[in-house]
Amino acid sequence: MTPAEHTATTARTKPSLFNRIIGVLGELLITAGIVIALFIVWQIWWTDIEANRAQANEIEQLQQEYGVVTVEDSGIAPRQEGPPPEWSGEPAYGDTLGIMRIPAFGYDYGYTIRNGTNMTEILNTGAFGRYEDTALPGEVGNFATAAHRQTYGAPMIDVPDLEEGDAIVVETSDVYLVYSIVSDQIVLPTEVWTIAPDPFQAYEQSQGRGELTEPTRRLLTITTCHPPFVSNERWVVHAEFDYWTKREDGLPEALVDPETADALEGGN
């Protein structure tokens, strides 16, 4: 090839400025796509791993602090009559109130309950957060909480599986408080009647019916996002206090797998 032919070939194959710009944009878009994909993996998968690992450690520490209770060692605790023990005072922001247990999600299911609902400091740790100024666990009124349905541990990912009558148990250092689910609904985030002292009264009033009176029921509410990854609505579960047991007496029946209970009875 002569020098002249080489120069002509180079001129023909050298990309234009437009093509070079398109090439750079393409590379940038590919890089951006990789970054977005990694972010999605982190948001959906890794935050669950981190939060659940942290929760497992916290639950283990709380169990050591409260004292480990097993049905094999302590049996099934008898139900106590009357109201549960009262709280000694209002907890500080961020304090751990106990452990939320939902047997329908597994008898080993447990996430901490902390005072407050700040996203970064509380909910993103995988914990349930108590709406401040609502009732404390076991008190008359509405013990209202929030928890993630996806990412950061996703403690309420299986909320559609819950049914009326399912137990929700709040475990504290001294007692187990057993609630029974009475209703659930999907609402807009603006429908704050769901965490009122008596949400059923508050709903009726929002519809122009009835009046608000002093609460008499001991209720528990869990709010979580709906639908997953869109979260423009809220799935709300309401439960009513059923009974309580002393920690020193063993596990409440609600936290004992019926097969385990049958095996223990068969061995007696």
Side-chain angles (χ1 to χ4, degrees):
M1 181 181 294
T2 66
E5 290 173 332
H6 177 75
T7 301
T9 302
T10 303
R12 286 196 302 270
T13 58
K14 184 177 181 181
S16 67
L17 176 61
F18 175 77
N19 287 337
R20 290 201 298 271
I21 292 174
I22 292 299
V24 171
L25 287 176
E27 291 178 359
L28 290 174
L29 288 173
I30 291 172
T31 302
I34 293 172
V35 171
I36 292 171
L38 289 174
F39 174 78
I40 292 173
V41 169
W42 171 81
Q43 185 77 15
I44 295 176
W45 180 65
W46 187 249
T47 62
D48 278 353
I49 291 176
E50 287 185 318
N52 282 320
R53 182 184 297 157
Q55 281 294 310
N57 290 334
E58 290 185 38
I59 295 294
E60 184 177 359
Q61 291 175 13
L62 280 178
Q63 292 284 276
Q64 295 300 323
E65 178 185 334
Y66 293 170
V68 177
V69 179
T70 66
V71 68
E72 290 81 4
D73 293 336
S74 305
I76 297 176
R79 302 186 182 199
Q80 297 297 314
E81 300 294 332
E86 295 184 0
W87 288 74
S88 58
E90 179 69 20
Y93 173 81
D95 279 357
T96 298
L97 306 179
I99 301 171
M100 187 78 78
R101 297 197 179 276
I102 304 178
F105 295 162
Y107 288 97
D108 59 348
Y109 175 98
Y111 286 83
T112 58
I113 308 167
R114 295 177 61 193
N115 195 36
T117 54
N118 179 273
M119 191 71 70
T120 303
E121 298 176 354
I122 295 178
L123 299 186
N124 286 359
T125 69
F128 284 74
R130 172 202 173 220
Y131 288 96
E132 294 182 279
D133 299 325
T134 67
L136 288 164
E139 287 185 340
V140 172
N142 186 13
F143 167 47
T145 66
H148 280 304
R149 187 177 174 189
Q150 74 279 319
T151 70
Y152 296 100
M156 289 300 291
I157 191 170
D158 293 323
V159 64
D161 295 342
L162 293 177
E163 298 178 353
E164 186 174 330
D166 283 347
I168 299 177
V169 182
V170 177
E171 176 184 354
T172 74
S173 60
D174 300 314
V175 300
Y176 293 93
L177 306 167
V178 182
Y179 294 79
S180 179
I181 294 176
V182 293
S183 72
D184 71 290
Q185 51 273 306
I186 297 169
V187 302
L188 295 174
T190 54
E191 298 190 56
V192 295
W193 59 266
T194 55
I195 61 171
D198 187 325
F200 305 104
Q201 280 189 3
Y203 173 75
E204 290 298 314
Q205 189 190 49
S206 73
Q207 301 301 303
R209 303 186 294 265
E211 298 180 356
L212 290 179
T213 60
E214 284 294 317
T216 58
R217 303 168 74 177
R218 301 174 193 269
L219 302 171
L220 178 154
T221 296
I222 299 174
T223 66
T224 193
C225 292
H226 177 77
F229 305 108
V230 179
S231 305
N232 56 355
E233 296 176 307
R234 299 290 180 268
W235 195 311
V236 183
V237 176
H238 293 299
E240 186 160 11
F241 180 73
D242 190 3
Y243 65 93
W244 67 281
T245 65
K246 297 178 181 179
R247 188 179 189 88
E248 62 191 38
D249 290 343
L251 287 176
E253 184 178 1
L255 290 183
V256 180
D257 185 336
E259 292 185 3
T260 301
D262 291 342
L264 288 173
E265 290 180 2
N268 291 337

